[in-house]
Amino acid sequence: EIQSCLVSSGDVGCGMFQCFNNNSCEIQGLHHICLTLLHNAGRYDSQGKSFVKDALRCMALGLRQRFSCVSRRCSAVKGMVFSLQRECYSKHQLCLALRAHLDTMGNLVQFQLMFPPG
């Protein structure tokens, strides 16, 4: 179900992230995070815009590449998604982007969805 959605989704935008909504694994939040970041990108300076673009690209490419390599058990898929989020946000310097944009990014993104417990 998720695999066929990933294959048919485009490379740009948030369509790929929607593949993880409304499926048997119930991985919520990726599509919301993507939409929130894209809709508010105009509020950020060049560093913030760069973070949005690079982090979303990192997530999209990583999801496509890694999904076919993990077990189809929900726990393995969720683990892969959460690991990839941490990797992409760290690689593209989420903390630096947030430091300059606490007033906007901090209020826009649901951090409990970005960094789930565990």
Side-chain angles (χ1 to χ4, degrees), residues 23-64:
N23 63 64
S24 57
C25 281
E26 297 181 14
I27 299 171
Q28 301 297 318
L30 293 177
H31 189 245
H32 170 78
I33 291 167
C34 180
L35 289 175
T36 301
L37 290 172
L38 286 181
H39 287 302
N40 293 284
R43 296 182 181 193
Y44 311 132
D45 63 13
S46 60
Q47 182 182 24
K49 289 176 184 174
S50 178
F51 164 77
V52 169
K53 181 183 74 172
D54 294 341
L56 291 178
R57 181 183 300 129
C58 177
M59 284 291 297
L61 292 173
L63 289 171
R64 264 212 186 103

Side-chain angles (χ1 to χ4, degrees), residues 3 20 62-81:
Q3 180 69 41
F20 291 87
L63 289 171
R64 264 212 186 103
Q65 291 170 351
R66 295 181 189 187
F67 186 79
S68 61
C69 298
V70 298
S71 163
R72 295 301 193 258
R73 289 187 348 263
C74 284
S75 60
V77 173
K78 286 180 182 181
M80 179 273 297
V81 169

